[in-house]
Amino acid sequence: MLGDSWAALADLVLPADCAGCRSPGGRLRYGVCESCVATVRRLRPHPVRPVPAPAGLPPCVALGPYDGVLRELLLAYKEKGRHQLARPLGRLLGEAVAAATDPRAPLTLVPVPTTAAAARARHGDHLARLTRHAVRRLRFLGREVGVARPVGVRSRPDSAGLDSASRLAAARTSYHSRRVGLDFGGIHDPRRCVIVVDDIVTTGATLATVNRLLTAAGTPAYAAVMIAATRLRHQK
């Protein structure tokens, strides 16, 4: 929490270029210029599916492709310490969840767990921050929503540069069920819609593994919802 507070304070007091287009100065809201805000506002959640899709992958929805302004915002948030972006990005995640689900259904969000090493490198759990803001947005929209953490993660190799098969093998050995968290968020309530949330989907290996663990616990995911989806390059 202290790391988050210092990062937020630095965002407020230090002059910054736009996190989306890097243009200097101007009117910035959460570190983003009006033009980039308008670009992101035009995005609409839509179904996505990696090809090939790993077994166990639930239906997936993303706000937009992982390129352009959306990619720059996520990189600035995750890798460059622009933690003030958690609020607008989390709101976008919440709105994508709302668009992907029946407005009458109570929701349980299951964020993909972050490794301890990644949390240290990013001065906190980046997805936990996004999830908190997504929950606030969903509640503002009148949705009943809770959060459950029934999946844990051990240390795992950096997925950058790994092909689909290697990512799937790494995910299967890294993620595991947790007794703690199974009852949080009303996850076992049959009326509730279980949604796995993440920031980016690439091959779908992590989402498929998390959903297999949820299914084994009797709580399969209705869908996985992300902010962005990469465009995969076919590998030989």
Side-chain angles (χ1 to χ4, degrees), residues 69-175:
V69 171
L70 194 58
R71 177 179 182 272
E72 293 303 318
L73 293 180
L74 284 166
L75 284 174
Y77 168 60
K78 291 174 62 176
E79 310 299 343
K80 300 176 183 177
R82 303 284 286 268
H83 289 185
Q84 64 183 140
L85 291 169
R87 186 172 182 179
L89 290 174
R91 285 177 174 176
L92 291 173
L93 179 60
E95 290 169 4
V97 170
T101 55
D102 186 323
R104 299 166 296 180
L107 303 170
T108 296
L109 304 189
V110 178
V112 171
T114 300
T115 65
R120 286 193 299 270
R122 293 169 179 155
H123 304 287
D125 186 333
H126 76 284
L127 191 57
R129 287 192 295 265
L130 293 178
T131 302
R132 286 197 296 270
H133 288 291
V135 167
R136 290 170 187 165
R137 185 60 176 170
L138 285 162
R139 288 175 177 165
F140 175 80
L141 296 173
R143 302 298 298 271
E144 180 185 338
V145 57
V147 178
R149 298 182 180 277
V151 177
V153 62
R154 307 177 184 91
S155 61
R156 57 173 297 176
D158 188 346
S159 59
L162 297 181
D163 60 19
S164 298
S166 299
R167 284 173 180 255
L168 185 58
R172 284 177 172 170
T173 58
S174 300
Y175 294 93

